[in-house]
Amino acid sequence: MMRSPKVRTAILISGRGSNMVAIAQAAQATDYPAEIVGVISNRPDAKGLERAKALGLNTDIVDHKLYDNRKAFEQALHAQLLALDPEIICCAGFMRILTPWFVSQWHGRLINIHPSLLPKYKGLNTHQRAIEAGDTHAGVSVHWVTAELDGGEVIDQRSIEILPHDTADTLAERLLPVELALYPDALEAVALQFQKQPRQ
Ligand code: GAR
């Protein structure tokens, strides 16, 4: 049987890019349903850019500091994305809040990984907030991006137990391998859905 074409996927990063690497490595498998068409960072010094280049990926920088306002930055980011022609965009440690305008341009195509068991702890300092609340578990979620920050429907999430001496840093460290397994799996599930839909 003929395999469906791989779903064109762009990745947005701001930092070290470990989720991006995990996705890109998964995508190297012939039977993985998504291919990475480009990695864009809003920070020129993001470590992930070197890691993406080392994997042979196409990289771009859209430096938010070079734009007068969020709208101008997002228009530039949008133009770069249009050039890549992605069907899915993965935010992977992309630390810019996206406006309703940008989200509407990519409605149903934009996903994000967030380090909490959504709907708990939208925003920042998620692990610290889970510890302070006395939660028994912390986790990570991949979700659809909507105009509400970290508010879109959850695609998949995984959790680990919070141990008595955990700090935000130890929790983040123990959660990282869980994240790196979750994101490629969640993207695979989304890309398989895209493959079933007629292409535009
Ligand atoms: C990850 O832990 C991700 O869950 C988090 O940033 C880190 C990026 O690491 N994302 C957010 O906090 C989004 N609000 P990475 O650059 O090594 O993938």
Side-chain angles (χ1 to χ4, degrees), residues 15-20 92-93 95 113-115 179:
R16 71 188 161 174
S18 42
N19 279 282
M20 175 274 300
M95 303 306 277
I113 187 156
H114 181 73
E179 290 197 35

Side-chain angles (χ1 to χ4, degrees), residues 47 114 124 137 139 185-186:
K47 293 272 181 293
H114 181 73
L124 297 175
H137 289 76
D185 286 356

Side-chain angles (χ1 to χ4, degrees), residues 13-21 48 51 91-96 112-116 123-127 139-141 143 149-150 172 175-176 179-180 183:
I13 63 168
S14 300
R16 71 188 161 174
S18 42
N19 279 282
M20 175 274 300
V21 169
R51 300 175 83 181
C91 299
F94 182 67
M95 303 306 277
R96 301 301 294 171
N112 179 45
I113 187 156
H114 181 73
S116 81
L124 297 175
N125 303 321
T126 53
H127 301 325
V140 58
S141 308
H143 65 96
L149 178 68
D150 301 324
L175 258 171
L176 187 61
E179 290 197 35
L180 303 186
Y183 212 166

Side-chain angles (χ1 to χ4, degrees), residues 133-153:
D135 291 359
T136 58
H137 289 76
V140 58
S141 308
V142 174
H143 65 96
W144 292 104
V145 176
T146 62
E148 186 203 343
L149 178 68
D150 301 324
E153 191 190 337

Side-chain angles (χ1 to χ4, degrees), residues 91-160:
C91 299
F94 182 67
M95 303 306 277
R96 301 301 294 171
I97 291 175
L98 295 167
T99 67
W101 173 78
F102 182 90
V103 173
S104 72
Q105 299 302 307
W106 298 99
H107 177 78
R109 299 182 179 279
L110 196 52
I111 65 178
N112 179 45
I113 187 156
H114 181 73
S116 81
L117 292 172
L118 290 173
K120 281 184 156 184
Y121 313 126
K122 297 168 182 169
L124 297 175
N125 303 321
T126 53
H127 301 325
Q128 190 60 36
R129 287 154 70 200
I131 291 168
E132 282 168 12
D135 291 359
T136 58
H137 289 76
V140 58
S141 308
V142 174
H143 65 96
W144 292 104
V145 176
T146 62
E148 186 203 343
L149 178 68
D150 301 324
E153 191 190 337
V154 170
I155 297 163
D156 199 1
Q157 62 186 191
R158 288 181 196 161
S159 67
I160 60 170

